[in-house]
């Protein structure tokens, strides 16, 4: 892996980690400072509150970010291997 590839994947991992931490921090702040909002029903008579839906969104974001990151690294690795295979010759 070249230094440039490492920097690109390292930058992406920091960006994704920062975005997920910000999402969790927003959920925590909502739960701490506005529990009445987090505890509101999604719609009248609903069994789900806004906080529960927000928590499910966080879980989906973590799973989606992991899938995106792994797919992107695999595609970059496949492209790098195909370039190095083409350079070897017959």
């Amino acid at each position: 892996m070249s230094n440039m590839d490492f920097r690109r994947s390292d930058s992406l991992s920091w960006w994704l980690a920062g975005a997920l931490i910000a999402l969790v921090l927003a959920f925590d702040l909502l739960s701490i400072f506005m529990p009445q909002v987090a505890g509101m029903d999604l719609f009248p008579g609903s069994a789900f509150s806004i906080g529960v839906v927000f928590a499910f969104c966080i879980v989906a974001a973590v799973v989606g970010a992991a899938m995106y990151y792994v797919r992107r690294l695999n595609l970059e690795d496949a492209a790098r291997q195909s370039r190095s295979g083409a350079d070897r010759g017959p």
Side-chain angles (χ1 to χ4, degrees), residues 4-57:
M4 187 59 138
D5 290 337
F6 178 74
R7 271 192 245 140
R8 215 175 306 137
S9 64
D10 192 41
S11 171
L12 176 64
S13 65
W14 279 109
W15 187 87
L16 287 173
L20 293 174
I21 288 171
L23 190 61
V24 170
L25 183 60
F27 176 73
D28 290 344
L29 292 174
L30 177 73
S31 299
I32 292 168
F33 293 113
M34 292 188 274
Q36 67 278 8
V37 174
M40 285 175 47
D41 288 342
L42 197 55
F43 53 87
S46 172
F48 293 107
S49 67
I50 292 174
V52 171
V53 173
F54 198 174
F56 282 131
C57 290

Side-chain angles (χ1 to χ4, degrees), residues 49-88:
S49 67
I50 292 174
V52 171
V53 173
F54 198 174
F56 282 131
C57 290
I58 290 172
V59 171
V62 168
V63 171
M67 290 172 53
Y68 172 75
Y69 186 69
V70 169
R71 177 155 170 76
R72 178 143 175 201
L73 287 181
N74 284 340
L75 289 173
E76 288 176 4
D77 188 46
R80 188 176 52 252
Q81 285 179 357
S82 69
R83 281 193 310 259
S84 65
D87 292 341
R88 279 187 244 163

